[in-house]
Amino acid sequence: MGDKDISEKALLRYADVFADIANVLLFDGEQRILPNDLTEVDPHTYYNDKQRQNVQIQDIVKHWKKEDIQIACIGFENQTSVDPNMVFRVIGYDGARYRAQLNQEQKHFYPVITLVLYYGDRKPWQAPCTLHERLHIPAELKPYVSDYSINIFDIAYLSEDTVSKFQSDFQVVADYFVQKRLYRDYKPSEKQIQHVEETLFLLSAISDDRRFEDICFIPDKEVPHNMCEILDRVEQKGFQAGYKQGIEQGKEQWIGIGTERGIEQERIHSLLSLMSTLHLSPDQAMDALQIPEVEREYYMKRISSK
C-alpha cells in the first residue's frame, strides 16, 4: 500500500470523522450515527478468479451498531480521479459483504452501503453511476437485467450549506476543495483541527500539494491547529525557499562579474533585484551578497538614487 493511499485513509478512520461524514451525506447532518456506535471492519474481502484466490481492499469499512444490534455496514472509497468501472468495483465490495453475512448464517441481514468520495475540482464525476449505464444492453434484454446504483459525492461540488453541516475535521477538507473550485482566493477557516497531521496528509495527498505534509516535519515547530495558521506556515515556507533561491542566484551574479567593464552597473542591478523580488532592505541585500563594509556606503548612495 503506497504512502499516498495510506494518507488518504488515515483521517477518515477516526470514528468522529467517519460518523460525521456519514451523518451529513446520508442524513443531512442529523446526528444519527455516534462515534461509539462504530466498529472497525477488515477492509479485505476475497474472491476466486481462474482457480486463484484474489483480494480486494476497500478504503474504510465500519459496522454501525446500536445496543449490539447491527444496523448497517458502511464503507468509504476515496477517489481523486474518475474511474469508469467504479460501479463494478462497488458491486464487488457490496456483494462480498452480503456473501459474508450469508456464510455466517445470520438470522437478520443488514444493508451494505458504499459512499464514493470524489475530490476532483475541475469537473463533476462523469463516469457511469449505474450498472445499466456501464453495460451495452440489447433493448429486448434490458427488462431482465437488474440495475445497480452507486453513491457518488463530488466533494468540491457540495453546497456551502452542506459543508457547514460537517462538525469534524472533514469540514476543513471539504471547505478547502469547494473554495478552490468557486473562488480565486482561498479564505482559511479558524476552525480548530483535532487530527492535525492526518488532515494535512489528506489535503496533501488529494491536492498533490506536498507543502501541507511538509509542515509536520519542520524541526522545533509546533504544528498549527487551524487553516489560518497552516496557510501562514505554508506561505512562510514558500518565502524562505524563494529567499534562499534568490540569494544563491544573486551570489552567482555577484561572483561572476569579475573585473570586466560594467561591473558597477551589474552589482547595482543584483542589489536592486534582491530588494524588489524578496522585499529586502538595502542592508539585508548587501548582507545576503556579502558586500564588504568599505564598499557599502558607496553602493547605498548609488541604489538610493535609482
Side-chain angles (χ1 to χ4, degrees):
M1 186 181 299
D3 291 342
K4 182 175 180 179
D5 196 43
I6 294 171
S7 298
E8 289 179 359
K9 300 175 184 178
L11 178 65
L12 275 58
R13 279 207 174 97
Y14 284 105
D16 65 310
V17 179
F18 190 102
D20 184 42
I21 295 171
N23 282 327
V24 172
L25 299 184
L26 295 177
F27 307 119
D28 196 32
E30 183 181 343
Q31 299 301 295
R32 297 278 299 276
I33 302 175
L34 302 179
N36 290 338
D37 296 338
L38 297 169
T39 56
E40 195 81 19
V41 177
D42 183 359
H44 299 79
T45 53
Y46 302 89
Y47 63 95
N48 291 323
D49 178 24
K50 297 180 180 179
Q51 299 181 341
R52 289 175 50 193
Q53 190 175 58
N54 293 281
V55 62
Q56 55 185 7
I57 307 174
Q58 202 165 356
D59 282 348
I60 303 142
V61 190
K62 291 184 185 290
H63 279 157
W64 176 23
K65 295 182 178 181
K66 281 279 191 183
E67 298 177 353
D68 294 329
I69 298 175
Q70 181 78 44
I71 299 175
C73 178
I74 303 173
F76 292 164
E77 280 296 301
N78 286 319
Q79 285 293 122
T80 55
S81 60
V82 173
D83 183 356
N85 294 320
M86 196 72 213
V87 64
F88 295 137
R89 289 172 53 194
V90 172
I91 289 173
Y93 298 143
D94 294 354
R97 300 292 169 191
Y98 286 120
R99 168 59 67 178
Q101 294 183 57
L102 187 62
N103 291 343
Q104 292 166 7
E105 299 181 353
Q106 296 184 184
K107 294 181 180 179
H108 303 286
F109 296 97
Y110 51 84
V112 177
I113 301 167
T114 297
L115 309 182
V116 180
L117 311 180
Y118 173 58
Y119 298 97
D121 60 355
R122 295 184 179 178
K123 56 184 178 180
W125 182 277
Q126 294 181 332
C129 295
T130 70
L131 184 60
H132 277 197
E133 290 173 355
R134 187 67 184 92
L135 299 177
H136 298 285
I137 309 173
E140 62 272 20
L141 294 180
K142 194 167 186 177
Y144 306 100
V145 178
S146 298
D147 203 0
Y148 200 90
S149 299
I150 59 176
N151 306 297
I152 304 288
F153 293 92
D154 290 288
I155 302 304
Y157 288 82
L158 294 176
S159 70
E160 294 180 337
D161 177 62
T162 298
V163 172
S164 70
K165 293 175 182 177
F166 290 110
Q167 299 180 15
S168 71
D169 295 342
F170 194 76
Q171 184 189 85
V172 172
V173 176
D175 179 60
Y176 177 80
F177 282 94
V178 169
Q179 284 203 49
K180 293 290 282 184
R181 177 182 66 84
L182 288 177
Y183 310 117
R184 182 175 181 179
D185 296 320
Y186 168 66
K187 296 180 180 179
S189 165
E190 294 186 3
K191 174 182 170 60
Q192 291 297 296
I193 302 173
Q194 301 300 313
H195 312 293
V196 182
E197 291 192 6
E198 291 81 0
T199 300
L200 290 175
F201 272 86
L202 177 60
L203 283 171
S204 181
I206 58 185
S207 68
D208 284 326
D209 189 340
R210 295 295 298 271
R211 294 177 300 173
F212 286 115
E213 64 181 84
D214 288 346
I215 291 173
C216 300
F217 302 108
I218 299 176
D220 304 320
K221 287 278 190 178
E222 182 181 353
V223 177
H225 282 73
N226 65 57
M227 287 301 286
C228 288
E229 297 173 355
I230 288 167
L231 265 292
D232 285 345
R233 187 75 60 81
V234 167
E235 289 174 3
Q236 182 183 22
K237 189 173 186 297
F239 173 81
Q240 289 171 345
Y243 178 91
K244 183 177 179 181
Q245 182 180 7
I247 295 299
E248 293 304 318
Q249 290 174 348
K251 283 182 179 178
E252 287 177 8
Q253 281 183 301
W254 185 267
I255 294 169
I257 289 168
T259 57
E260 60 189 50
R261 192 175 179 181
I263 178 173
E264 181 179 301
Q265 289 79 5
E266 290 293 340
R267 287 178 173 175
I268 292 171
H269 174 75
S270 296
L271 285 169
L272 292 173
S273 177
L274 282 180
M275 290 166 61
S276 64
T277 58
L278 298 179
H279 308 291
L280 302 181
S281 68
D283 282 334
Q284 289 173 323
M286 288 192 237
D287 286 341
L289 296 177
Q290 300 175 359
I291 296 177
E293 287 290 339
V294 294
E295 299 180 19
R296 291 195 178 200
E297 185 178 354
Y298 171 76
Y299 280 106
M300 181 70 79
K301 293 179 181 178
R302 294 302 308 272
I303 62 178
S304 296
S305 66
K306 295 291 183 180

